[in-house]
Amino acid sequence: MVSPLPSSSLSSSPLPSPLSSSVLELAPVVPVVVVDDVADAVPLARALVAGGLPAIEVTLRTPVALDAIRAITDGVPEAVVGAGTVISPDQVAQSVAAGARFLVSPGWTDVLLDAMKASGVPFLPGVSTTSEVVALLERGVSDMKFFPAQAAGGTAYLKSLAGPLPQARFCPTGGIGPAVAPEYLALPNVLCVGGSWMLPPDAIASGNWARVETLAREAASLGHTPG
């Protein structure tokens, strides 16, 4: 859970223009970022964008997460920064105020879904069961996060959903690395995957942004092969 932020850090950043397409269509891979030091946010985002990964999910797992979203919004306009691990209406409001252009949740409730729908930005509610997928489709939501992907059944599970529920589109996240990412991207109902493999902790700790850019470029080259 995100620690409460000082009131001064909740001041709004100028809101960027809305996305003209689904976040699922921006790149084959969405980096899932945990920022411990806000000073890393801008150089990290610049390296990811330079490597061809413009959609960046900053997870609300640290006290500086909202400040990191704000810093990337202000300092890296080419990035499409979103907030991840969003689990409450308050976090929805705080994330959008900080400049988040999309929202990602590990799961969803009616209350959270209503808040994300009212936010005015694209969102990916998390699912791991067929019933959750059907419930979202019933609510008019077809873009979803499949989480935790590997633990919840992986590519076999998603492939089994493509027949009965072809209108559901997914961004699988959780346990995905460069070895299995192409298998997910080959599925017809997967438009992108989420992962952190292009963000090695030692590279971030040492400020080796060139390595991050190289790994991001390799991830961006995975592309999508229709299955």
Side-chain angles (χ1 to χ4, degrees):
M1 183 175 178
V2 177
S3 302
L5 295 174
S7 58
S8 60
S9 61
L10 295 180
S11 58
S12 298
S13 295
L15 298 183
S17 59
L19 292 179
S20 59
S21 62
S22 167
V23 62
L24 296 180
E25 299 169 355
L26 291 172
V29 177
V30 176
V32 179
V33 181
V34 178
V35 179
D36 293 305
D37 185 346
V38 72
D40 292 333
V42 167
L44 183 153
R46 285 177 176 158
L48 292 173
V49 170
L53 300 180
I56 302 170
E57 176 189 337
V58 176
T59 60
L60 302 186
R61 301 180 190 175
T62 66
V64 302
L66 291 173
D67 286 331
I69 292 172
R70 189 174 294 106
I72 295 171
T73 298
D74 293 341
V76 193
E78 319 92 279
V80 181
V81 62
T85 321
V86 176
I87 58 172
S88 73
D90 283 345
Q91 289 183 333
V92 169
Q94 292 173 347
S95 298
V96 174
R101 297 177 66 187
F102 65 91
L103 306 169
V104 183
S105 67
W108 66 278
T109 64
D110 286 331
V111 171
L112 179 58
L113 186 66
D114 287 342
M116 290 193 293
K117 278 191 164 188
S119 70
V121 301
F123 56 92
L124 297 175
V127 298
S128 60
T129 69
T130 306
S131 294
E132 291 170 327
V133 175
V134 172
L136 282 179
L137 292 174
E138 191 176 75
R139 294 288 302 270
V141 178
S142 59
D143 289 1
M144 313 172 193
K145 170 181 178 174
F146 181 58
F147 177 83
Q150 289 289 87
T155 55
Y157 192 94
L158 285 174
K159 185 176 182 179
S160 72
L161 294 181
L165 302 170
Q167 64 272 54
R169 312 192 310 171
F170 299 98
C171 175
T173 304
I176 297 177
V180 298
E183 298 174 16
Y184 282 95
L185 291 169
L187 298 176
N189 54 353
V190 170
L191 274 72
C192 64
V193 299
S196 302
W197 72 86
M198 73 298 299
L199 300 164
D202 60 331
I204 294 175
S206 63
N208 189 347
W209 308 121
R211 182 181 174 200
V212 171
E213 180 180 339
T214 296
L215 292 172
R217 186 170 291 109
E218 292 172 357
S221 71
L222 293 175
H224 183 275
T225 303

